[in-house]
DNA sequence: GGACCTTTGAAGGGG
DNA sequence: CCCCTTCAAAGGTCC
């Protein structure tokens, strides 16, 4: 396991990284499914599962490796290849990217093209370049074509895509920008150029441990190309690009990342190429150019006006300054689940016919719970780093600052009072979102599911403080589906925890108390794995001991709990459709 | 066009 | 310290 405590001193460390596993949720969908459907879908499902698994495994890596090579035709590729080679060499020498920190952790490579902090959305030059390399057939519109991203014109790609990339340029697809100022400071060599980086806290140069580099951190293209692509699922599956290109073009993850100081003049770090040109250095007036900073006005700015064929043309007469005068909107750092969602969404979407995010999110939520602790720990760690970086970049920033920026928040309450009956919640029943097709939701792919998720000491790394979930929590059925909903008529009321605040974080501590007991869980049996006969939920009942070295340690309560649940899985009967939404 | 829905987690304020 | 609220992503849906 990667060194979790990577960054020297993370005071920010999330203590809640430990989460209670509540997997039961999965059943819900299944429950709703009928047997016949299951059979029909079985094949599909299994195929999907295989597909996904394969993607993540060797086949994927092979593809990843091959792609760049096969795609020598691309002019840009040729050019960039040199850079990559160089970059790779440097990295290897420096040990910068010796291996994926998180094997099988797709995130690492390219989580997604969207920039978490950049709402406007467009693909950065480098990203485009990368895409070209990776997916030659994938249309990656140039800045000019951003609007009309669908028109695949190979030609324009090479023409429009700036090949201006430094050997050390950041991995274009890295979703997160590094928050470190060094990447943006003109005078400061990018950290990725050198193996050493300054410890944020101590100021002492140190060699970043791979684990310290969040997936969002810049990865050199060369490294990327040379590494098996863990994001097999990311690859266009079934003819569908993993990430559909939005009308406005790809969202570029942290444009700033993709550019170096020199590039910054061409493209705003915070704005998409087709957007208004950034101030000279692309530095935010705060001096901190970060994609997380989103000017609301800019966000909505129509890209049409400034779309120019070349990035160079980008300079727009209208400086964003005005908008920036307004307090820039610094987005919250993504939490572990959000990171997971971003990563997996495409996969889920590909597997399912579902398109609604709400439904997808439900599935993701289930999958999240089905992840092993270690897997989750990865995300927690990433999230922690993100928070850390974020805090470093925006020391004064408070989540509170964003309050009210979103107009949404309405659900507010049904003023009526927290319904005792939870049913009052305006939220729709999750089940509703999950159509029968949902088979996909089965976390099948998730290895091990909760079974192997017993808390591992390694998990501790994620959150030392994180208390292992209490037994009760573990055993608890997933609250997911059970969330009180209007339509569902569960009789359990959700105690105080009204909103999304799930039990995990808060409950982790002593608070488990009420929440656990009163949790509305439906009595869904945990693993109605039955619903997915072929599925692998349990396919991999890995002995704890085999899970992770750290796990060898004496079983903690958590382990036991896990075991307990494990048994439950096998023993549980497919629950009946108790949960079936009454629709 | 914007809010809603859905998920989990983080953070902050209030009691 | 606990509870509650808000926001983070995302995209179809609804108004």
């Amino acid at each position: 396991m990667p060194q979790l405590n990577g960054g020297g001193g993370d005071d920010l460390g999330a203590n809640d990284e430990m989460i209670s596993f509540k997997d039961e949720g999965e059943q819900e969908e299944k429950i709703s499914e009928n047997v016949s459907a299951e059979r029909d879908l079985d094949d599909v499902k299994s195929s999907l599962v295989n597909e996904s698994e394969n993607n993540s495994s060797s086949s994927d890596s092979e593809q990843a490796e091959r792609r760049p090579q096969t795609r020598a035709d691309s002019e840009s590729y040729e050019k960039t290849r040199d850079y990559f080679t160089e970059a790779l060499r440097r990295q290897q020498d420096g040990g910068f990217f010796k291996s994926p920190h998180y094997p099988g952790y797709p995130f690492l490579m390219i989580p997604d093209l969207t920039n978490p902090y950049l709402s406007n959305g467009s693909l950065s030059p480098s990203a485009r370049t990368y895409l070209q390399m990776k997916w030659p057939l994938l249309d990656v519109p140039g800045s000019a074509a951003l609007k009309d991203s669908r028109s695949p014109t190979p030609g324009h790609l090479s023409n429009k895509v700036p090949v201006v990339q430094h050997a050390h340029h950041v991995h274009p697809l890295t979703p997160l920008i590094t928050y470190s100022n060094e990447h943006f400071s003109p005078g400061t060599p990018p950290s990725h150029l050198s193996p050493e980086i300054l410890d944020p806290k101590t100021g002492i140069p140190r060699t970043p441990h791979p684990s310290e580099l969040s997936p969002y951190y810049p990865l050199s293209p060369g490294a990327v190309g040379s590494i098996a692509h863990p994001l097999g699922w990311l690859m266009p599956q079934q003819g569908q690009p993993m990430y559909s290109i939005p009308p406005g073009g790809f969202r570029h993850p942290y444009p700033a990342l993709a550019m170096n100081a020199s590039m910054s003049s061409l493209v705003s770090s915070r704005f998409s190429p087709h957007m208004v040109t950034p101030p000279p250095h692309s530095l935010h007036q705060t001096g901190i150019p970060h994609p997380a900073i989103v000017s609301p006005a800019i966000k909505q700015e129509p890209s049409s006006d400034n779309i120019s064929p070349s990035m160079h043309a980008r300079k727009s007469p209208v400086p964003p300054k005005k908008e920036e005068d307004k307090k820039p909107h610094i987005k919250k750092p993504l939490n572990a689940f959000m990171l997971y969602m971003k990563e997996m969404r495409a996969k889920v979407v590909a597997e399912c016919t579902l398109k609604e995010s709400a439904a997808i999110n439900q599935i993701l939520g289930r999958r999240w719970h089905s992840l092993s602790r270690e897997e989750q720990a990865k995300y927690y760690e990433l999230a922690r780093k993100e928070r850390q970086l974020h805090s470093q970049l925006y020391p004064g920033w408070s989540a509170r600052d964003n309050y009210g920026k979103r107009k949404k928040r309405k659900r507010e309450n049904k003023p009526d009072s927290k319904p005792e009956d939870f049913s009052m919640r305006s939220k729709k029943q999750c089940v509703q979102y999950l159509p029968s097709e949902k088979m996909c939701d089965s976390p099948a792919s998730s290895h091990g599911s909760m079974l192997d998720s017993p808390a591992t000491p390694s998990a501790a790394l994620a959150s030392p403080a994180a208390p292992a979930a209490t037994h009760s929590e573990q055993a608890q059925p997933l609250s997911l589906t059970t969330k009180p909903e209007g339509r569902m008529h569960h009789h359990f009321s959700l105690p105080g925890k009204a909103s999304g605040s799930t039990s995990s974080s808060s409950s982790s501590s002593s608070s488990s108390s009420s929440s656990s007991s009163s949790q509305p869980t439906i009595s869904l049996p945990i693993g109605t794995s039955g619903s997915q006969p072929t599925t692998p939920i349990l396919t991999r009942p890995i002995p704890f001991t085999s899970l992770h070295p750290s796990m060898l340690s004496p079983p903690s309560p958590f382990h036991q709990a896990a075991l307990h649940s494990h048994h439950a899985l096998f023993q549980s009967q497919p629950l009946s459709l108790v949960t079936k939404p009454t629709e």
Side-chain angles (χ1 to χ4, degrees):
Chain A
M1 199 65 176
Q3 138 184 355
L4 290 180
N5 191 10
D10 343 61
D11 34 43
L12 296 179
N15 358 344
D16 28 319
E17 324 233 6
M18 293 311 219
I19 44 176
S20 54
F21 287 82
K22 343 170 208 179
D23 316 358
E24 310 79 17
E26 311 200 351
Q27 319 280 13
E28 282 199 353
E29 297 176 1
K30 305 175 175 186
I31 293 170
S32 62
E33 301 171 325
N34 58 36
V35 176
S36 62
E38 286 182 61
R39 288 177 184 173
D40 292 344
L41 294 176
D42 227 2
D43 294 344
V44 174
K45 208 200 266 185
S46 60
S47 65
L48 287 174
V49 171
N50 291 339
E51 203 174 66
S52 65
E53 289 181 353
N54 289 340
N55 287 339
S56 62
S57 59
S58 63
S59 63
D60 223 4
S61 57
E62 287 179 358
Q63 289 180 351
E65 289 178 359
R66 284 179 203 153
R67 259 171 206 141
Q69 296 175 352
T70 58
R71 155 164 195 63
D73 59 337
S74 165
E75 185 178 350
S76 63
Y77 171 66
E78 292 293 345
K79 289 185 178 182
T80 55
R81 188 173 56 180
D82 293 342
Y83 287 117
F84 291 178
T85 300
E86 173 66 12
L88 177 60
R89 193 167 26 103
R90 290 186 187 184
Q91 291 177 351
Q92 287 175 340
D93 292 345
F96 179 81
F97 198 82
K98 286 172 182 173
S99 66
H101 327 321
Y102 306 123
Y105 184 41
F107 231 80
L108 238 187
M109 305 304 301
I110 314 180
D112 103 328
L113 298 175
T114 64
N115 175 349
Y117 299 101
L118 186 61
S119 48
N120 71 27
S122 69
L123 189 61
S124 78
S126 59
R128 284 192 289 275
T129 299
Y130 175 80
L131 287 173
Q132 291 178 59
M133 295 174 56
K134 273 308 198 191
W135 301 291
L137 298 180
L138 179 60
D139 177 35
V140 181
S143 60
L146 287 177
K147 277 296 185 170
D148 180 11
S149 58
R150 312 287 168 171
S151 64
T153 343
H156 83 270
L157 289 178
S158 59
N159 293 338
K160 292 172 181 174
V161 176
V163 209
V164 216
Q165 300 189 13
H166 280 228
H168 57 277
H169 85 302
V170 180
H171 188 294
L173 296 178
T174 55
L176 272 193
I177 185 167
T178 145
Y179 294 93
S180 172
N181 290 336
E182 30 192 78
H183 292 291
F184 307 98
S185 309
T188 309
S191 63
H192 42 290
L193 272 180
S194 164
E196 283 191 341
I197 62 176
L198 292 181
D199 181 301
K201 306 229 160 188
T202 63
I204 299 170
R206 61 187 175 81
T207 300
H209 183 283
S211 66
E212 288 184 271
L213 301 172
S214 86
Y216 299 121
Y217 287 38
L219 292 178
S220 98
V224 170
S226 65
I227 295 174
H229 200 306
L231 276 186
W233 55 270
L234 211 77
M235 300 309 230
Q237 292 182 9
Q238 302 168 357
Q240 174 181 352
M242 68 168 221
Y243 290 109
S244 59
I245 301 173
F250 279 105
R251 289 186 182 181
H252 177 276
Y254 305 86
L257 264 187
M259 57 188 93
N260 51 40
S262 64
M263 284 184 73
S264 66
S265 63
L266 297 176
V267 180
S268 165
S269 63
R270 293 165 28 221
F271 307 113
S272 63
H274 62 281
M275 300 191 73
V276 178
T277 314
H281 291 290
S282 81
L283 289 177
H284 183 271
Q285 53 181 188
T286 61
I288 302 170
H290 190 285
I293 301 176
V294 175
S295 170
I298 289 174
K299 244 180 179 175
Q300 305 192 348
E301 172 186 356
S303 54
S304 59
D305 58 359
N306 278 328
I307 298 173
S308 69
S310 77
M311 301 294 287
H312 299 286
R314 277 335 301 80
K315 306 244 163 183
S316 99
V318 180
K321 283 184 180 180
K322 293 172 182 177
E323 337 259 343
E324 290 183 349
D325 285 348
K326 301 174 181 177
K327 196 171 186 178
H329 180 138
I330 299 172
K331 293 183 180 182
K332 294 175 66 172
L334 303 186
N335 63 34
F337 179 70
M338 285 294 159
L339 293 172
Y340 173 77
M341 270 204 346
K342 285 180 71 71
E343 177 187 347
M344 299 300 294
R345 176 178 296 280
K347 186 177 184 178
V348 171
V349 170
E351 291 178 356
C352 303
T353 58
L354 291 177
K355 291 181 179 176
E356 286 185 71
S357 289
I360 298 295
N361 289 347
Q362 287 184 348
I363 292 169
L364 289 169
R366 282 202 207 68
R367 289 194 176 192
W368 173 252
H369 286 289
S370 69
L371 288 178
S372 69
R373 254 195 180 213
E374 289 158 342
E375 288 171 322
Q376 288 188 344
K378 296 171 187 173
Y379 292 92
Y380 281 113
E381 176 65 7
L382 288 171
R384 183 179 63 77
K385 286 172 182 167
E386 256 214 63
R387 289 195 303 275
Q388 188 175 2
L389 285 171
H390 194 277
S391 68
Q392 288 174 4
L393 264 187
Y394 315 105
W397 180 86
S398 167
R400 207 77 175 176
D401 295 346
N402 291 353
Y403 277 27
K405 299 247 173 127
R406 258 186 175 191
K407 309 199 156 208
K408 355 183 162 163
R409 265 345 45 156
K410 249 98 311 108
R411 66 175 83 203
E412 345 256 4
N413 37 183
K414 0 216 81 256
D416 315 341
S417 76
K418 242 142 258 240
E420 300 206 84
D421 111 3
F422 41 69
S423 55
M424 312 297 279
R425 282 176 132 329
S426 57
K427 285 184 181 180
K428 289 182 182 178
Q429 165 87 28
C430 59
V431 174
Q432 293 180 341
Y433 280 97
L434 301 174
S436 55
E437 17 191 45
K438 248 73 344 1
M439 317 274 273
C440 54
D441 77 329
S442 64
S445 54
S446 67
H447 349 246
S449 72
M450 50 178 31
L451 293 182
D452 29 30
S453 50
T456 64
S458 63
L461 78 189
S463 62
T470 61
H471 185 284
S472 60
E473 286 176 339
Q474 290 296 320
Q476 290 241 326
L478 186 46
S479 56
L480 259 189
T481 54
T482 62
K483 257 176 186 171
E485 233 19 70
R487 295 184 187 166
M488 287 270 272
H489 301 308
H490 298 222
H491 306 307
F492 310 77
S493 58
L494 197 43
K497 295 199 150 194
S499 54
S501 60
T502 48
S503 51
S504 67
S505 64
S506 59
S507 66
S508 62
S509 61
S510 57
S511 65
S512 59
S513 56
S514 58
S515 64
S516 62
S517 60
S518 53
Q519 206 145 37
T521 59
I522 304 184
S523 38
L524 288 181
I526 310 182
T528 46
S529 46
S531 62
Q532 23 184 319
T534 56
T535 12
I537 271 194
L538 300 178
T539 52
R540 214 178 117 215
I542 302 170
F544 292 125
T545 56
S546 65
L547 292 177
H548 188 283
S550 60
M551 299 184 69
L552 294 176
S553 61
S556 64
F558 181 90
H559 283 86
Q560 294 182 354
L563 284 172
H564 188 276
S565 60
H566 183 194
H567 289 303
L569 279 173
F570 287 107
Q571 296 177 357
S572 65
Q573 322 256 333
L575 214 24
S576 36
L577 331 163
V578 184
T579 59
K580 201 156 194 171
T582 61
E583 174 92 67

PDB file of all heavy atoms in Angstrom, chain A residues 477-494:
ATOM      1  N   PRO A 477     -27.397  -2.620   7.659  1.00  0.00           N
ATOM      2  CA  PRO A 477     -27.766  -2.693   6.271  1.00  0.00           C
ATOM      3  C   PRO A 477     -27.496  -1.360   5.678  1.00  0.00           C
ATOM      4  O   PRO A 477     -27.461  -0.390   6.355  1.00  0.00           O
ATOM      5  CB  PRO A 477     -29.237  -2.908   6.311  1.00  0.00           C
ATOM      6  CG  PRO A 477     -29.591  -3.004   7.720  1.00  0.00           C
ATOM      7  CD  PRO A 477     -28.389  -2.791   8.555  1.00  0.00           C
ATOM      8  N   LEU A 478     -27.362  -1.391   4.482  1.00  0.00           N
ATOM      9  CA  LEU A 478     -27.048  -0.152   3.862  1.00  0.00           C
ATOM     10  C   LEU A 478     -28.177   0.797   3.989  1.00  0.00           C
ATOM     11  O   LEU A 478     -29.299   0.480   3.830  1.00  0.00           O
ATOM     12  CB  LEU A 478     -26.865  -0.419   2.427  1.00  0.00           C
ATOM     13  CG  LEU A 478     -26.414   0.817   1.845  1.00  0.00           C
ATOM     14  CD1 LEU A 478     -25.342   1.318   2.753  1.00  0.00           C
ATOM     15  CD2 LEU A 478     -25.963   0.607   0.524  1.00  0.00           C
ATOM     16  N   SER A 479     -27.809   1.942   4.272  1.00  0.00           N
ATOM     17  CA  SER A 479     -28.877   2.892   4.456  1.00  0.00           C
ATOM     18  C   SER A 479     -29.321   3.439   3.137  1.00  0.00           C
ATOM     19  O   SER A 479     -30.305   4.084   3.011  1.00  0.00           O
ATOM     20  CB  SER A 479     -28.359   4.039   5.269  1.00  0.00           C
ATOM     21  OG  SER A 479     -27.259   4.541   4.610  1.00  0.00           O
ATOM     22  N   LEU A 480     -28.540   3.169   2.208  1.00  0.00           N
ATOM     23  CA  LEU A 480     -28.800   3.720   0.922  1.00  0.00           C
ATOM     24  C   LEU A 480     -30.210   3.692   0.500  1.00  0.00           C
ATOM     25  O   LEU A 480     -30.859   4.666   0.295  1.00  0.00           O
ATOM     26  CB  LEU A 480     -28.116   2.854  -0.081  1.00  0.00           C
ATOM     27  CG  LEU A 480     -26.881   3.394  -0.546  1.00  0.00           C
ATOM     28  CD1 LEU A 480     -26.454   2.555  -1.660  1.00  0.00           C
ATOM     29  CD2 LEU A 480     -27.087   4.769  -0.936  1.00  0.00           C
ATOM     30  N   THR A 481     -30.596   2.542   0.277  1.00  0.00           N
ATOM     31  CA  THR A 481     -31.894   2.409  -0.281  1.00  0.00           C
ATOM     32  C   THR A 481     -32.921   2.720   0.725  1.00  0.00           C
ATOM     33  O   THR A 481     -34.007   3.077   0.426  1.00  0.00           O
ATOM     34  CB  THR A 481     -32.068   1.005  -0.617  1.00  0.00           C
ATOM     35  OG1 THR A 481     -31.787   0.353   0.581  1.00  0.00           O
ATOM     36  CG2 THR A 481     -31.137   0.597  -1.611  1.00  0.00           C
ATOM     37  N   THR A 482     -32.530   2.528   1.875  1.00  0.00           N
ATOM     38  CA  THR A 482     -33.536   2.655   2.872  1.00  0.00           C
ATOM     39  C   THR A 482     -33.846   4.077   3.160  1.00  0.00           C
ATOM     40  O   THR A 482     -34.706   4.376   3.911  1.00  0.00           O
ATOM     41  CB  THR A 482     -32.994   2.089   4.111  1.00  0.00           C
ATOM     42  OG1 THR A 482     -31.902   2.873   4.419  1.00  0.00           O
ATOM     43  CG2 THR A 482     -32.598   0.709   3.879  1.00  0.00           C
ATOM     44  N   LYS A 483     -33.126   4.915   2.566  1.00  0.00           N
ATOM     45  CA  LYS A 483     -33.410   6.256   2.945  1.00  0.00           C
ATOM     46  C   LYS A 483     -34.856   6.502   2.843  1.00  0.00           C
ATOM     47  O   LYS A 483     -35.477   6.177   1.895  1.00  0.00           O
ATOM     48  CB  LYS A 483     -32.712   7.194   2.070  1.00  0.00           C
ATOM     49  CG  LYS A 483     -31.579   7.665   2.854  1.00  0.00           C
ATOM     50  CD  LYS A 483     -30.775   8.497   2.091  1.00  0.00           C
ATOM     51  CE  LYS A 483     -29.577   8.861   2.813  1.00  0.00           C
ATOM     52  NZ  LYS A 483     -28.669   9.476   2.178  1.00  0.00           N
ATOM     53  N   PRO A 484     -35.305   7.094   3.747  1.00  0.00           N
ATOM     54  CA  PRO A 484     -36.728   7.271   3.815  1.00  0.00           C
ATOM     55  C   PRO A 484     -37.160   8.046   2.648  1.00  0.00           C
ATOM     56  O   PRO A 484     -36.668   9.059   2.357  1.00  0.00           O
ATOM     57  CB  PRO A 484     -36.895   8.128   5.020  1.00  0.00           C
ATOM     58  CG  PRO A 484     -35.561   8.487   5.431  1.00  0.00           C
ATOM     59  CD  PRO A 484     -34.572   7.675   4.710  1.00  0.00           C
ATOM     60  N   GLU A 485     -38.034   7.589   2.046  1.00  0.00           N
ATOM     61  CA  GLU A 485     -38.483   8.307   0.926  1.00  0.00           C
ATOM     62  C   GLU A 485     -39.933   8.342   0.924  1.00  0.00           C
ATOM     63  O   GLU A 485     -40.635   7.552   1.463  1.00  0.00           O
ATOM     64  CB  GLU A 485     -38.113   7.525  -0.240  1.00  0.00           C
ATOM     65  CG  GLU A 485     -37.468   8.249  -1.047  1.00  0.00           C
ATOM     66  CD  GLU A 485     -36.932   9.401  -0.495  1.00  0.00           C
ATOM     67  OE1 GLU A 485     -36.267   9.432   0.074  1.00  0.00           O
ATOM     68  OE2 GLU A 485     -37.090  10.340  -0.683  1.00  0.00           O
ATOM     69  N   GLY A 486     -40.377   9.227   0.277  1.00  0.00           N
ATOM     70  CA  GLY A 486     -41.803   9.325   0.215  1.00  0.00           C
ATOM     71  C   GLY A 486     -42.411   8.119  -0.315  1.00  0.00           C
ATOM     72  O   GLY A 486     -43.366   7.588   0.202  1.00  0.00           O
ATOM     73  N   ARG A 487     -41.919   7.651  -1.344  1.00  0.00           N
ATOM     74  CA  ARG A 487     -42.597   6.567  -1.939  1.00  0.00           C
ATOM     75  C   ARG A 487     -42.419   5.304  -1.228  1.00  0.00           C
ATOM     76  O   ARG A 487     -43.270   4.505  -1.113  1.00  0.00           O
ATOM     77  CB  ARG A 487     -42.098   6.359  -3.283  1.00  0.00           C
ATOM     78  CG  ARG A 487     -42.433   7.483  -4.011  1.00  0.00           C
ATOM     79  CD  ARG A 487     -42.112   7.396  -5.329  1.00  0.00           C
ATOM     80  NE  ARG A 487     -42.323   8.598  -5.947  1.00  0.00           N
ATOM     81  CZ  ARG A 487     -41.860   8.833  -7.072  1.00  0.00           C
ATOM     82  NH1 ARG A 487     -41.255   7.973  -7.636  1.00  0.00           N
ATOM     83  NH2 ARG A 487     -42.059   9.910  -7.625  1.00  0.00           N
ATOM     84  N   MET A 488     -41.313   5.103  -0.722  1.00  0.00           N
ATOM     85  CA  MET A 488     -41.108   3.870  -0.072  1.00  0.00           C
ATOM     86  C   MET A 488     -41.804   3.938   1.188  1.00  0.00           C
ATOM     87  O   MET A 488     -41.858   4.906   1.832  1.00  0.00           O
ATOM     88  CB  MET A 488     -39.689   3.734   0.248  1.00  0.00           C
ATOM     89  CG  MET A 488     -39.018   3.484  -0.903  1.00  0.00           C
ATOM     90  SD  MET A 488     -38.917   1.885  -1.195  1.00  0.00           S
ATOM     91  CE  MET A 488     -37.739   1.215  -0.566  1.00  0.00           C
ATOM     92  N   HIS A 489     -42.249   2.887   1.578  1.00  0.00           N
ATOM     93  CA  HIS A 489     -42.921   2.954   2.823  1.00  0.00           C
ATOM     94  C   HIS A 489     -42.166   2.187   3.832  1.00  0.00           C
ATOM     95  O   HIS A 489     -42.671   1.291   4.409  1.00  0.00           O
ATOM     96  CB  HIS A 489     -44.268   2.378   2.647  1.00  0.00           C
ATOM     97  CG  HIS A 489     -44.957   3.134   1.635  1.00  0.00           C
ATOM     98  ND1 HIS A 489     -45.074   4.486   1.668  1.00  0.00           N
ATOM     99  CD2 HIS A 489     -45.538   2.782   0.515  1.00  0.00           C
ATOM    100  CE1 HIS A 489     -45.736   4.898   0.633  1.00  0.00           C
ATOM    101  NE2 HIS A 489     -46.013   3.883  -0.079  1.00  0.00           N
ATOM    102  N   HIS A 490     -41.051   2.536   4.041  1.00  0.00           N
ATOM    103  CA  HIS A 490     -40.320   1.804   5.049  1.00  0.00           C
ATOM    104  C   HIS A 490     -40.797   2.291   6.337  1.00  0.00           C
ATOM    105  O   HIS A 490     -41.131   3.413   6.475  1.00  0.00           O
ATOM    106  CB  HIS A 490     -38.883   2.136   4.961  1.00  0.00           C
ATOM    107  CG  HIS A 490     -38.408   1.719   3.680  1.00  0.00           C
ATOM    108  ND1 HIS A 490     -37.338   1.150   3.409  1.00  0.00           N
ATOM    109  CD2 HIS A 490     -38.927   1.721   2.486  1.00  0.00           C
ATOM    110  CE1 HIS A 490     -37.151   0.869   2.167  1.00  0.00           C
ATOM    111  NE2 HIS A 490     -38.138   1.219   1.592  1.00  0.00           N
ATOM    112  N   HIS A 491     -40.740   1.498   7.219  1.00  0.00           N
ATOM    113  CA  HIS A 491     -41.222   1.962   8.488  1.00  0.00           C
ATOM    114  C   HIS A 491     -40.128   2.452   9.340  1.00  0.00           C
ATOM    115  O   HIS A 491     -40.297   2.724  10.461  1.00  0.00           O
ATOM    116  CB  HIS A 491     -41.884   0.837   9.168  1.00  0.00           C
ATOM    117  CG  HIS A 491     -42.886   0.314   8.269  1.00  0.00           C
ATOM    118  ND1 HIS A 491     -43.836   1.102   7.710  1.00  0.00           N
ATOM    119  CD2 HIS A 491     -43.062  -0.893   7.758  1.00  0.00           C
ATOM    120  CE1 HIS A 491     -44.601   0.380   6.934  1.00  0.00           C
ATOM    121  NE2 HIS A 491     -44.130  -0.820   6.941  1.00  0.00           N
ATOM    122  N   PHE A 492     -39.040   2.506   8.858  1.00  0.00           N
ATOM    123  CA  PHE A 492     -38.002   2.957   9.746  1.00  0.00           C
ATOM    124  C   PHE A 492     -37.840   4.411   9.572  1.00  0.00           C
ATOM    125  O   PHE A 492     -37.809   4.896   8.494  1.00  0.00           O
ATOM    126  CB  PHE A 492     -36.743   2.307   9.354  1.00  0.00           C
ATOM    127  CG  PHE A 492     -37.000   0.900   9.242  1.00  0.00           C
ATOM    128  CD1 PHE A 492     -37.647   0.417   8.146  1.00  0.00           C
ATOM    129  CD2 PHE A 492     -36.673   0.042  10.237  1.00  0.00           C
ATOM    130  CE1 PHE A 492     -37.913  -0.919   8.023  1.00  0.00           C
ATOM    131  CE2 PHE A 492     -36.926  -1.260  10.113  1.00  0.00           C
ATOM    132  CZ  PHE A 492     -37.543  -1.752   9.012  1.00  0.00           C
ATOM    133  N   SER A 493     -37.644   5.033  10.600  1.00  0.00           N
ATOM    134  CA  SER A 493     -37.475   6.440  10.432  1.00  0.00           C
ATOM    135  C   SER A 493     -36.032   6.762  10.588  1.00  0.00           C
ATOM    136  O   SER A 493     -35.329   6.141  11.323  1.00  0.00           O
ATOM    137  CB  SER A 493     -38.196   7.136  11.498  1.00  0.00           C
ATOM    138  OG  SER A 493     -37.692   6.696  12.672  1.00  0.00           O
ATOM    139  N   LEU A 494     -35.673   7.700   9.851  1.00  0.00           N
ATOM    140  CA  LEU A 494     -34.303   8.076   9.950  1.00  0.00           C
ATOM    141  C   LEU A 494     -34.213   9.066  11.033  1.00  0.00           C
ATOM    142  O   LEU A 494     -34.789  10.067  11.012  1.00  0.00           O
ATOM    143  CB  LEU A 494     -33.944   8.726   8.693  1.00  0.00           C
ATOM    144  CG  LEU A 494     -32.528   8.751   8.593  1.00  0.00           C
ATOM    145  CD1 LEU A 494     -32.039   7.433   9.028  1.00  0.00           C
ATOM    146  CD2 LEU A 494     -32.119   9.014   7.269  1.00  0.00           C
TER     147      LEU A 494
END
